[in-house]
Amino acid sequence: MTTDTVLSIFLGIGLAASVGFRVFLPLFALSLASYFGVWDLNENWQWIGSLVAVLTLGVATLLEIFAYFIPWFDNLLDSIAVPLAAMAGTAVMVSTVADLDPVITWSLAIIAGGGTATVIKGAGATGRLASTATTGGLANPIYASIETGTAVVVTAASIFAPIFAAILVIIILIIIFRIYRRIRPRTKT
């Protein structure tokens, strides 16, 4: 496996994790990176770097970011965004992985890309639901700001420092796992 292949896997995992926070932001960043020649995409995915894709994903990103600041609408968005995150996480992973057999590429995309995005989006949706239930939605804009900020940081790290992004993803998943273990109901056996 070449260095480019490993870096492309880290890029895909980092962007997939970012998709778990905001579905369109990492796709928009990937589109920009491809458009300006920062990252080369697989030949079937080069359309993401087109001007039309940049503009379309840019508008979708802005709409998504601002929609999450509407307390009742954000929970509705999450019900749609969880399956979208799985698809987008798979897509960013398959579009960035270089020089691997298609079976390995798609396996990585579905498991690492779609799985990472789904875990993070599911945890975020659960957290937002808890925020809505405990604060009546008043804390949701703060929650949305943290999620968007995290998506920006992980996306930027993925594009410019993929190894660092992979480390961030591991830290984020550990935090999610610890929170889950702390709040899940204990069953007595």
Side-chain angles (χ1 to χ4, degrees):
M1 208 180 302
T2 67
T3 303
D4 287 341
T5 303
V6 172
L7 289 177
S8 70
I9 291 169
F10 288 159
L11 168 68
I13 290 172
L15 290 176
S18 295
V19 162
F21 293 107
R22 289 293 170 266
V23 173
F24 291 107
L25 191 139
L27 293 168
F28 174 58
L30 182 62
S31 183
L32 282 174
S34 177
Y35 183 77
F36 288 110
V38 176
W39 274 98
D40 293 325
L41 301 177
N42 288 336
E43 82 183 44
N44 292 336
W45 293 87
Q46 290 180 1
W47 61 270
I48 292 174
S50 71
L51 182 59
V52 171
V54 168
L55 294 174
T56 303
L57 291 169
V59 169
T61 298
L62 289 174
L63 290 173
E64 179 184 28
I65 287 170
F66 289 114
Y68 271 102
F69 285 96
I70 303 170
W72 59 269
F73 192 66
D74 57 356
N75 288 302
L76 178 65
L77 249 169
D78 276 338
S79 65
I80 299 165
V82 171
L84 278 179
M87 291 186 290
T90 301
V92 295
M93 188 77 179
V94 79
S95 70
T96 59
V97 173
D99 303 326
L100 287 177
D101 181 80
V103 171
I104 295 171
T105 298
W106 279 99
S107 297
L108 266 174
I110 292 167
I111 296 166
T116 300
T118 303
V119 165
I120 291 174
K121 180 51 91 177
T126 303
R128 186 176 344 280
L129 198 57
S131 171
T132 301
T134 58
T135 69
L138 294 176
N140 289 20
I142 296 167
Y143 195 84
S145 297
I146 293 168
E147 281 186 326
T148 300
T150 305
V152 167
V153 168
V154 175
T155 297
S158 298
I159 291 172
F160 298 110
I163 296 169
F164 177 64
I167 293 167
L168 281 176
V169 171
I170 291 167
I171 292 168
I172 289 167
L173 291 173
I174 289 170
I175 290 168
I176 289 171
F177 179 73
R178 285 186 176 170
I179 291 170
Y180 171 76
R181 287 194 57 191
R182 195 171 287 155
I183 63 173
R184 74 180 171 148
R186 306 264 188 248
T187 56
K188 293 183 180 186
T189 53

